[in-house]
C-alpha cells in the first residue's frame, strides 16, 4: 500500500509564516531518505525571502519517529531526535531498525497501524514530563532556518548581482555543524546539532553547592502545585534516606524537607537539582537556612537606619516629621509678615481694588 495523502506532516517553522502557502504535489516523485520507498513529494516556498523546500521523508517514517518530513525535528518540542531520546526514559523510546529487511517489515506494520487518530505511539504521550525537554524546547517558530542557500559565486568572489541576488552573501560555516547527515539526525546518532545542544545545556546547569554548616539537613522545594500533599513530597524524597519531617506550605506553593542525616540530604540535592518533578509540576530545589539565622536577618533589616543617617539603637526608629506651622506664623509662634493676602489667616477672602470701580 502506497500513501496518497493530501497534506504532508510539517512543523510550523517549515510551513512558513505565510498562511496562504501554495504547494506543488508530485505523486511518487521522490524516494524516502530512510526507507528508500517512493512517496508523494511536496514542494513550496515558505516566505518571500525564503528558499524552496520539499519533503525528504515518507509519512510512515515521519510518524514512526514523530518528526517533520522536511527538517526531521521533533514535532512536539522542535528538537533533534538524539536530544529527545536522551531526555526520555528507556521504556519511552522507539527504535528504528537499520537493516533493509527489518525496515521493510516495520514499514508494513506501521502503514496498517498508523492513522490520524492513533494514540499508540509513545512519542505523543510521555509518562512523565522531562525537565530537559521543557528547558530546551523551542516555543516559537524559527523562520531563519528557511533562509536561502549561500551563493556559491559570492564564495568564489565572482557574483555580480549584488542586492538582487536571491542567495545569501555569506561565507559558509565551518566547524562541528558543517557536516550534518539526515540519517544521523533521524536515527539519533552522531548528530552535531544535538551534541552541541547537550553540551550547552550541561554547561549552563549550575551545581547546587551544599552549605558549610553541617547541621543543615533541610531542602527547600518550590513551584509545587496547589493540590500537592505531604504524601506526594514524601514519596519523591524517601528513596534517598530517612526523613525527619516534611512541611508543605500551600499558600506559598513550597515545602521544607528535613532528612535525618546530612549525607541523605546531599544525595537528594545532587540527583534532583535538574530533574525534580512532583505531580507533573517542574519544581525548584535549594538548601534551607537555619531558623535562628533567618530571624537575625529579619531583625537586622527591620532596624536598619534610613539612608544618610548613622546607626540607631535597637527598638528606635526615625522620629516623626514635625508638623509645619500655619501660614503667617513662625516656628516660635510669633506672627510674621505675609506676602500675599491668601497667606494671611485673618484675611477673609481676596482683596479687591475699589478705586477703579465704575460708578
Amino acid at each position: 500500500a502506497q500513501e496518497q495523502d493530501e497534506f504532508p506532516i510539517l512543523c510550523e517553522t517549515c510551513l512558513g509564516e505565510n498562511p496562504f502557502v501554495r504547494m506543488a504535489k508530485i505523486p511518487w516523485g521522490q524516494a524516502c531518505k530512510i526507507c528508500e520507498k517512493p512517496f508523494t513529494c511536496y514542494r513550496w516556498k515558505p516566505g518571500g525571502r525564503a528558499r524552496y523546500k520539499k519533503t525528504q521523508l515518507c509519512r510512515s517514517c515521519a510518524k514512526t519517529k514523530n518528526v517533520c518530513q522536511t527538517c526531521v525535528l521533533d514535532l512536539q518540542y522542535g528538537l533533534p531526535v538524539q536530544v529527545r531520546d536522551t531526555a526520555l526514559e528507556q521504556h519511552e523510546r522507539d527504535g528504528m531498525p537499520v537493516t533493509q529487511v527489518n525496515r521493510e517489515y516495520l514499514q508494513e506494520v506501521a502503514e496498517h497501524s498508523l492513522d490520524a487518530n492513533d494514540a499508540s505511539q509513545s512519542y505523543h504521550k510521555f509518562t512523565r514530563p522531562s525537565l530537559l525537554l521543557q528547558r530546551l524546547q523551542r516555543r516559537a517558530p524559527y523562520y531563519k532556518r528557511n533562509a536561502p542557500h549561500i551563493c556559491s559565486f559570492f564564495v568564489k568572489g565572482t557574483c555580480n548581482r549584488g542586492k538582487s541576488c536571491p542567495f545569501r552573501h555569506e561565507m559558509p560555516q565551518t566547524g562541528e555543524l558543517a557536516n550534518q547527515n539526515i540519517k544521523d539526525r533521524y536515527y539519533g546518532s552522531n548528530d552535531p546539532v544535538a551534541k552541541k545542544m547537550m553540551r550547552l545545556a550541561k554547561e549552563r546547569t549550575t551545581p547546587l553547592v551544599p552549605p558549610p554548616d553541617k547541621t543543615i539537613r533541610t531542602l527547600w522545594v518550590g513551584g509545587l502545585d496547589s493540590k500537592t500533599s505531604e504524601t506526594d513530597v514524601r514519596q519523591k524524597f524517601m528513596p534517598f534516606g530517612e526523613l525527619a519531617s516534611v512541611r508543605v506550605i500551600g499558600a506559598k506553593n513550597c515545602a521544607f524537607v528535613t532528612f535525618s542525616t546530612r549525607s541523605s540530604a546531599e544525595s537528594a540535592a545532587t540527583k534532583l537539582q535538574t530533574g525534580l518533578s512532583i505531580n507533573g509540576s517542574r519544581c525548584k530545589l535549594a538548601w534551607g537556612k537555619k531558623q535562628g539565622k533567618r530571624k537575625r536577618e529579619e531583625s537586622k533589616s527591620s532596624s536598619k537606619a534610613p539612608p544618610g543617617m548613622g546607626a540607631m539603637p535597637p527598638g528606635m526608629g526615625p522620629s516623626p516629621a514635625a508638623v509645619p506651622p500655619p501660614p503667617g506664623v513662625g516656628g516660635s509662634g510669633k506672627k510674621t509678615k505675609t506676602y500675599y493676602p491668601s497667606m494671611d489667616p485673618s484675611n477673609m477672602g481676596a482683596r479687591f481694588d475699589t478705586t477703579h470701580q465704575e460708578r
Side-chain angles (χ1 to χ4, degrees):
Q2 294 179 337
E3 54 185 22
Q4 295 182 1
D5 297 285
E6 297 296 332
F7 199 80
I9 302 175
L10 301 174
C11 62
E12 191 174 355
T13 301
C14 292
L15 194 57
E17 53 188 339
N18 185 10
F20 306 99
V21 62
R22 179 180 296 178
M23 289 188 177
K25 183 178 179 181
I26 310 173
W28 331 123
Q30 186 178 344
C32 177
K33 301 293 184 181
I34 304 300
C35 64
E36 301 178 358
K37 286 185 177 182
F39 72 100
T40 301
C41 180
Y42 293 85
R43 189 173 183 268
W44 72 99
K45 192 173 183 181
R49 291 291 299 174
R51 69 178 186 272
Y52 278 94
K53 307 189 76 172
K54 63 179 181 179
T55 53
Q56 304 291 340
L57 309 179
C58 63
R59 291 179 62 91
S60 301
C61 293
K63 282 186 176 182
T64 304
K65 284 283 189 177
N66 192 34
V67 294
C68 175
Q69 286 187 254
T70 301
C71 64
V72 201
L73 295 179
D74 183 73
L75 293 174
Q76 184 174 356
Y77 294 100
L79 298 174
V81 177
Q82 185 173 351
V83 178
R84 181 195 64 187
D85 291 350
T86 304
L88 293 180
E89 297 292 339
Q90 185 67 29
H91 64 276
E92 294 177 339
R93 304 180 185 179
D94 276 351
M96 185 67 180
V98 181
T99 61
Q100 182 68 22
V101 178
N102 292 337
R103 279 205 306 262
E104 292 179 358
Y105 173 75
L106 184 62
Q107 290 299 325
E108 292 180 1
V109 174
E111 288 173 359
H112 291 289
S113 61
L114 292 175
D115 50 42
N117 299 322
D118 188 16
S120 62
Q121 296 298 307
S122 62
Y123 290 124
H124 295 276
K125 300 173 69 175
F126 300 132
T127 58
R128 289 186 297 273
S130 175
L131 298 182
L132 180 61
L133 292 178
Q134 295 178 5
R135 186 168 66 251
L136 296 179
Q137 68 173 335
R138 187 175 294 278
R139 293 177 170 80
Y142 187 66
Y143 295 121
K144 290 184 179 180
R145 205 166 63 221
N146 301 333
H149 293 289
I150 296 177
C151 179
S152 59
F153 291 94
F154 174 79
V155 176
K156 298 176 183 178
T158 58
C159 182
N160 55 6
R161 292 186 179 184
K163 294 183 178 180
S164 61
C165 182
F167 300 96
R168 285 186 297 163
H169 282 189
E170 299 177 4
M171 296 303 295
Q173 189 179 15
T174 58
E176 59 180 352
L177 301 181
N179 300 320
Q180 300 185 28
N181 193 333
I182 189 171
K183 287 190 176 182
D184 292 341
R185 175 169 294 182
Y186 182 83
Y187 292 122
S189 61
N190 300 325
D191 188 2
V193 179
K195 291 181 179 180
K196 182 179 179 180
M197 295 182 66
M198 297 294 293
R199 187 182 69 251
L200 294 178
K202 187 176 181 180
E203 293 175 356
R204 293 172 183 173
T205 303
T206 56
L208 195 60
V209 181
D213 190 357
K214 297 296 183 179
T215 60
I216 298 178
R217 298 173 284 107
T218 303
L219 296 177
W220 174 84
V221 184
L224 296 176
D225 189 11
S226 58
K227 299 180 180 179
T228 303
S229 61
E230 181 180 337
T231 306
D232 300 332
V233 180
R234 281 185 176 273
Q235 291 178 354
K236 194 67 177 181
F237 287 90
M238 279 180 60
F240 300 97
E242 184 181 355
L243 300 178
S245 64
V246 175
R247 185 162 60 97
V248 178
I249 304 177
K252 296 185 178 180
N253 295 333
C254 67
F256 292 93
V257 181
T258 305
F259 286 86
S260 300
T261 59
R262 173 61 179 257
S263 59
S264 301
E266 292 180 358
S267 176
T270 303
K271 296 180 180 179
L272 296 178
Q273 62 175 343
T274 58
L276 181 57
S277 176
I278 301 177
N279 288 344
S281 300
R282 181 181 176 181
C283 302
K284 299 179 181 179
L285 191 66
W287 282 93
K289 296 182 180 180
K290 268 193 169 184
Q291 191 71 16
K293 184 178 179 180
R294 192 183 308 133
K295 288 183 178 180
R296 285 196 300 270
E297 291 179 355
E298 293 177 357
S299 61
K300 286 181 181 180
S301 61
S302 61
S303 61
K304 189 177 180 181
M309 297 182 62
M312 305 181 66
M316 295 184 60
S319 59
V323 179
V329 180
S332 59
K334 296 182 180 180
K335 194 170 183 179
T336 59
K337 181 180 178 181
T338 57
Y339 297 93
Y340 300 99
S342 60
M343 298 175 60
D344 189 2
S346 62
N347 185 23
M348 303 298 295
R351 297 180 180 178
F352 297 94
D353 191 2
T354 58
T355 57
H356 300 287
Q357 289 183 357
E358 295 183 1
R359 296 181 179 180

